[in-house]
Amino acid sequence: MDAEHWDRLGTLHTRVEQELARALQQHHSIGLSEYRALARLAEADDGELRMQELADLIGLNQSSVSRLASRLESSGFTRRDLCPDDRRGVYSVITEEGRKLQKKARPTYDGALRAALDSAAADRNLRPLVESLRP
């Protein structure tokens, strides 16, 4: 991959992320990182992940994921739990309210993703990249 293709990938990523964030905020009053955290937790065994694992899965550093977890916990969408084998380990656990929100927001996320990719495909510079991402 050369610099030109890398820049196009960055442009596409930015456009899609902005549309996803806008749609989630507008329709569900949550941010993109909040949605992604809830989605990863909903997919996880027992609905829980170690904080570092959650950070890695959603692309945040430890400090940012701690603040994110605090916001989700304050809203009642997650709770924290200590690891029974290692008292230093902290888990983020999705609550029933968090599962409901993630399930409700999923169609919005999927629709915004489709719309953002459709829009990007109209740009002749991004069309080949978008086409390579679609099944």
Side-chain angles (χ1 to χ4, degrees), residues 1-49:
M1 178 179 281
D2 61 22
E4 182 181 339
H5 288 96
W6 184 250
D7 289 344
R8 287 180 187 167
L9 179 61
T11 298
L12 177 61
H13 180 264
T14 299
R15 286 186 187 183
V16 170
E17 293 283 284
Q18 288 173 345
E19 181 58 29
L20 291 170
R22 184 199 62 74
L24 289 167
Q25 187 63 51
Q26 181 180 12
H27 296 285
H28 305 284
S29 299
I30 60 169
L32 183 54
S33 293
E34 285 85 359
Y35 174 79
R36 286 191 172 137
L38 292 173
R40 295 294 175 257
L41 289 167
E43 295 167 356
D45 293 338
D46 298 327
E48 64 182 32
L49 292 168

